[in-house]
Amino acid sequence: MSYDILANFYDAFIDQGVYDEYLDLLDRYTSVGSLLDIGCGTGTLSVEFAKRGYSVTATDLSEEMLQIARYRAVKEAVELEIMVYDMLDPIGVQFDTVIASMDVINHLTDLEDVQFGLTNIYEALNWNGIFIFDILSADYIDALDGYSERDSEYHFDWECHKGDKPHSIVHTVTLHLDGDQHQVNIYEETHDLNEYERIVAMVGFTVLEIKILPERAILVCQKMEKKK
């Protein structure tokens, strides 16, 4: 799996400012309770959630990412329940809060999958539960075409080229490890913000806030308890 290879370098791709926005929104919209972190990567945010007193289940598609998350939890002396999970599968457990940070939704390959994944999340939330996720802007994705970077600290080259769909991008990352090269391709696509708002409403969520950042929007949604 591509992210297994990238696991030791994942943190180099993370924007701490976006993490700080999530922590601020969590403090404003949720109370301590059960929290599902989908696509947790190496567990940086999951650990912070646990430090704030949440009962955290941290999930990712990559076992290698989760191994680092386990190490990080032990190092920071917090408890995480850690498991491999694909958001296109039913969750089967109820949570007070669900988080999907740092482009998780953009890795779904079409709007049908977005609706399917968000439906699974809606069904896994308790009434009045909060779901926070972000999506990259179409302008940002389009501007990535032709971008390249060499990181001397983590020893990788990163190139971006547009994909075969509108507002899609293929990230080609070449890792230089012990004299060997490992190349992985990561696909992302996005859509206009109003498409995500439409799907969120169709699934049943109420949007409480949309935070617009230079590269992305963060949506805070609630599963409102139905009036009797």
Side-chain angles (χ1 to χ4, degrees), residues 36 58 73 75 82 86-87 105 112 130 136 161 169 177-178 189 194 198-199 208 211 223-224:
L36 173 64
K75 183 179 179 182
I82 294 175
D86 184 336
M87 68 180 295
I105 302 300
E112 184 177 335
I130 296 293
L136 292 170
H161 299 286
I169 200 77
L177 304 171
D178 300 323
E189 72 173 65
N194 59 10
R198 177 182 63 81
I199 292 174
L208 302 182
K211 181 98 175 185
K223 179 180 178 177
M224 297 287 248

Side-chain angles (χ1 to χ4, degrees), residues 29-94:
Y29 285 101
T30 74
S31 300
V32 172
S34 58
L35 184 150
L36 173 64
D37 188 3
I38 298 176
C40 71
T42 55
T44 300
L45 265 184
S46 298
V47 166
E48 290 302 317
F49 298 151
K51 285 181 177 180
R52 281 167 161 73
Y54 293 84
S55 176
V56 180
T57 298
T59 73
D60 201 276
L61 287 172
S62 167
E63 179 58 43
E64 292 297 322
M65 294 280 194
L66 295 176
Q67 289 287 5
I68 296 173
R70 288 187 183 94
Y71 169 80
R72 181 163 276 155
V74 171
K75 183 179 179 182
E76 298 294 330
V78 298
E79 291 188 11
L80 299 179
E81 183 175 356
I82 294 175
M83 64 183 66
V84 174
Y85 169 68
D86 184 336
M87 68 180 295
L88 295 179
D89 296 329
I91 297 171
V93 182
Q94 300 299 116

